[in-house]
Structures are given as structure tokens and as C-alpha cells.
Amino acid sequence: MTDLSARIRPAAMGMSERSPNVALRSLVIGLTAFLTVVDLFATQAILPSLTRHYGVTPAAMGFAVNASTFGMATASLMVGFFSPRIDRRLGILLSLTLLAIPTSLLAWAPNLAVFTGLRVIQGLCMASAFALTLAYLGEQCSATDAGGAFAAYITGNVASNLVGRLMSAAVADNLGLAWNFYVFAALNLAGAVLVYFTIARVEPMETMAPTASPLEAASMHWRNPRLRAAYGLGFCILFAFIGTFTFVNFVLVRPPLSLGMMDLGLVYLVFLPSVVTTLLAGRAAARIGTRPTIWAALGVAAIGLPLMLTAHLAGVLAGMVLVGVGTFFAQAAATGFVGQAAADNRGVASGTYLACYFCGGLAGTAVLGRLFDSWGWPACVAGIGAALAIAALLTFALKSDR
């Protein structure tokens, strides 16, 4: 594989120049993202099976599976704070290698408490790699390339949602729940190998020029209304996404839809359009602006909500497609905006954004899970709609300095 950093190192070009071999660089970035977060949502495809295995309610199992977002929020914040002292390449390598351990141990989890704890540890490892890679891209990409690089990374995230869920359902259906986790542990190690051969060691940019302490930088970022709004936007995006793609699983396996395990996995082909559309987010934001891009994306997601309340599989699938396309597009645009809005200490800004983003996922699981258990799927969808509406309001603050 080619050296990723050699393709995008700003020392070799002006910050407004485009790096060569963009297609190859985007492929490597996307594949790194895929192997980093493939564990995050793949387990959702087997939620009904896990619920039966542990004998718990959908809300309890949904919270356990998505407990990884708590670990991801914590790690994102810590990595952001200590970013100036962390070697990017070594940090990503260690995170992906260590991730294989809790992933493998999930096959042996004797109860829900242990399962939940292992998912938290998974989140710590995944977010460390995720946040360090985003910091690396923010520091090493030219201004011209940054939007495309972040879009490629989020696209890899989207692909992990699709392929990961398909793989999880197929492996669990044919080989059992335990083998599902062994397969994903192997993918984690494959990610470490990819990073070893494609990312060269570089100094974190903050160490090249002394800046404020992490706490001072975080405080400065929180005082910036644009960044503060972006943090809230990230929270709402994952809140809505998690609520949709966690609890819709239980709707799909119950009458009148009554899908089987393998059919449930195939349902997640609904993410296929998102793999294509998310790549366009950076270009869209550059052409029409961040705010119109995010509003359009949130509008697409909102259109999908009533479709998921129908009793027909085609309607539910169409709604899932629209929610997936909209939320991922908005996430890609928001991620790129944070890198632009933070004048310095971008590692801290990215870490804070990711912490808020993943906290939104955990909150979405808890709040929407309670709505689902108590009042059913329509109440859950109403909560998702409220999160999208709040996100649209927060987008007003994402004004460009230009």
C-alpha cells in the first residue's frame, strides 16, 4: 500500500493545493474508517437474537449494545485533550490491535453486565483510533483536500454500517453468535495492519508550535458559538440515527413484517445509497455552504420518518434509506465544519465534537428505548423527529467566517 501521509502532507504543498492520487488516498482513508468502526453498529443486526439469548427487554439489550458510545465519548474527549502528546500512527495502531481483545471476549460474555462492560471497552478503543485519524487528517490535509478527506472517512463509516451488519447477520445465522465476534476481532487486526503500511509517523501539529493548554483550548472552543452549535448538532445526529437503526430491528422481526435473521441482515442494504451520497458532502458544502447542505440532509431524513410507520416493508425500507442518507450526509458536513471553525487546537475540537456526537448516541438509546418500551414505535419515531428539528435549529449558528 502507499504511504497515506506522503499523499497529504502540507509541508510538501500549499494549504490550498490539491494533493495527487486523490482516489487512492480516499480509498485508504475510507477503508481505515471501515475497519475502525465496523464493530460499532454491526451488533445491531443481531439485536433480536441477543435479546433472546440474554432474556432481557429490547431497551435493555439496545442500551447494552450501544454502551460502546459511552466509551467512544470518553475516549474522544481524552484523546482530544492529550492530542498534542500522542503519536498519531502509534496511537491508531495500538487502539486497533487492543480492540480485538474485548471483541473476542464478547463471545464468552456470561451476562448482560459483562457484555455491556466489554462494549464500553470496545468504544474506548474504537474512538481512540477514530479521533486520532480525524486529527491526523485535519493536520495533514490541505484546505482544498480536507472536505474530501473527511467525506471519505465518513463514507468508510457508512460502509461499515452496511457491510458490518450484513456480515454480522450472516455469520450469526450460519455459525452462531460467538463466531460473529471472532470474525470482527480479525477485522480489527486487519485495520491495524492497514495503518502500519499506509500511515507514516508525523509530529502532531500542536507540538510544532506551542499553544494553549487542552483545558484552555476546550474552554475557548466552547465559547465559540459556531463550534458550540456544531457540538449540539453532532449530539442530535447520532441521537436520531441510533434511535432509528436500533429499535427498527424489533419492528422488522415482529408481525406484520416478521423478517428472519438473514432477511434482517439484507435489510441493511438500505445503507448502500449512503455510501455513494456521503462522498458528495464535502463538495456540496463547498459549493452551496455548510448550512444549506445540513438543512437539506436533515430534511431528507425527516421525510423518511413517516414512511417507517407504515405496515409495508417497502415503505419502512424507503424510510430507512432516507434517514441513513440524511444523517450521514449531515454528519460528514458537520465534521468538516468543525475542522474549519477551529482556528487552532483542532485535535481538541475534533475530540470534543466526537464526545458530544457519541453522547448523543447513548442518550438516544436510553431516551428512545424508554419511549419504545412504554409507548411503542410511533413514540420512538416522534422522538427522532424532535432530535432532527433541534439539529435544524442549531444549524442556524454554523455561519462561515468568509
Side-chain angles (χ1 to χ4, degrees):
M1 275 299 202
T2 189
D3 175 7
L4 177 60
S5 64
R7 302 290 176 190
I8 57 179
R9 195 190 311 274
M13 58 184 160
M15 285 305 289
S16 62
E17 296 179 16
R18 184 175 296 278
S19 63
N21 297 324
V22 173
L24 179 58
R25 183 208 63 193
S26 296
L27 176 63
V28 173
I29 291 172
L31 189 55
T32 301
F34 173 88
L35 295 170
T36 299
V37 295
V38 69
D39 303 271
L40 181 57
F41 296 119
T43 312
Q44 289 183 347
I46 56 174
L47 259 174
S49 295
L50 288 169
T51 300
R52 291 191 297 270
H53 178 75
Y54 287 104
V56 294
T57 66
M61 195 69 242
F63 185 85
V65 164
N66 293 315
S68 54
T69 57
F70 175 76
M72 296 193 82
T74 302
S76 296
L77 196 59
M78 296 305 294
V79 168
F81 270 45
F82 295 103
S83 182
R85 300 181 178 87
I86 300 175
D87 179 277
R88 305 308 192 221
R89 181 175 184 270
L90 180 60
I92 299 169
L93 273 173
L94 286 177
S95 297
L96 290 175
T97 301
L98 293 174
L99 175 58
I101 297 174
T103 304
S104 298
L105 292 176
L106 281 168
W108 297 89
N111 53 54
L112 195 63
V114 174
F115 185 97
T116 302
L118 290 172
R119 285 292 286 174
V120 171
I121 297 172
Q122 273 191 308
L124 290 169
C125 296
M126 280 187 281
S128 296
F130 193 93
L132 286 171
T133 305
L134 285 182
Y136 179 91
L137 294 177
E139 294 165 355
Q140 303 303 315
C141 282
S142 69
T144 302
D145 286 337
F150 283 118
Y153 197 72
I154 301 301
T155 300
N157 187 353
V158 178
S160 74
N161 275 268
L162 168 59
V163 180
R165 292 171 198 258
L166 287 172
M167 288 181 61
S168 184
V171 173
D173 193 37
N174 290 284
L175 301 176
L177 290 173
W179 272 101
N180 170 77
F181 298 111
Y182 296 142
V183 168
F184 282 94
L187 290 177
N188 301 149
L189 294 176
V193 172
L194 177 66
V195 168
Y196 181 84
F197 286 107
T198 59
I199 294 184
R201 184 182 183 278
V202 293
E203 291 288 337
M205 286 189 71
E206 289 90 344
T207 64
M208 298 175 186
T211 59
S213 71
L215 282 175
E216 291 172 335
S219 177
M220 178 183 65
H221 291 153
W222 275 107
R223 290 195 299 271
N224 183 331
R226 300 162 68 224
L227 282 174
R228 195 164 59 239
Y231 297 159
L233 178 62
F235 181 97
C236 292
I237 289 173
L238 196 59
F239 185 103
F241 179 87
I242 285 265
T244 300
F245 292 100
T246 295
F247 299 106
V248 74
N249 291 283
F250 298 101
V251 175
L252 292 169
V253 298
R254 293 173 180 173
L257 301 178
S258 304
L259 298 186
M261 174 70 74
M262 197 58 226
D263 291 331
L264 186 61
L266 292 173
V267 158
Y268 287 99
L269 287 170
V270 297
F271 286 122
L272 195 56
S274 300
V275 176
V276 178
T277 58
T278 304
L279 277 172
L280 305 175
R283 188 180 305 174
R287 178 169 297 182
I288 67 173
T290 297
R291 293 194 298 173
T293 297
I294 294 176
W295 278 326
L298 295 174
V300 168
I303 292 171
L305 297 184
L307 294 176
M308 292 192 299
L309 294 174
T310 66
H312 304 287
L313 182 60
V316 176
L317 294 181
M320 293 172 70
V321 168
L322 293 174
V323 172
V325 167
T327 53
F328 276 119
F329 207 90
Q331 160 67 349
T335 302
F337 177 83
V338 170
Q340 298 167 12
D344 52 19
N345 289 284
R346 289 179 178 174
V348 176
S350 293
T352 305
Y353 173 81
L354 289 174
C356 294
Y357 176 73
F358 292 120
C359 280
L362 190 63
T365 302
V367 174
L368 298 174
R370 179 61 62 89
L371 291 176
F372 184 83
D373 278 355
S374 301
W375 292 288
W377 179 233
C380 185
V381 171
I384 295 166
L388 294 177
I390 295 171
L393 292 174
L394 289 169
T395 304
F396 277 101
L398 305 187
K399 298 179 181 179
S400 174
D401 282 339
R402 292 176 297 180

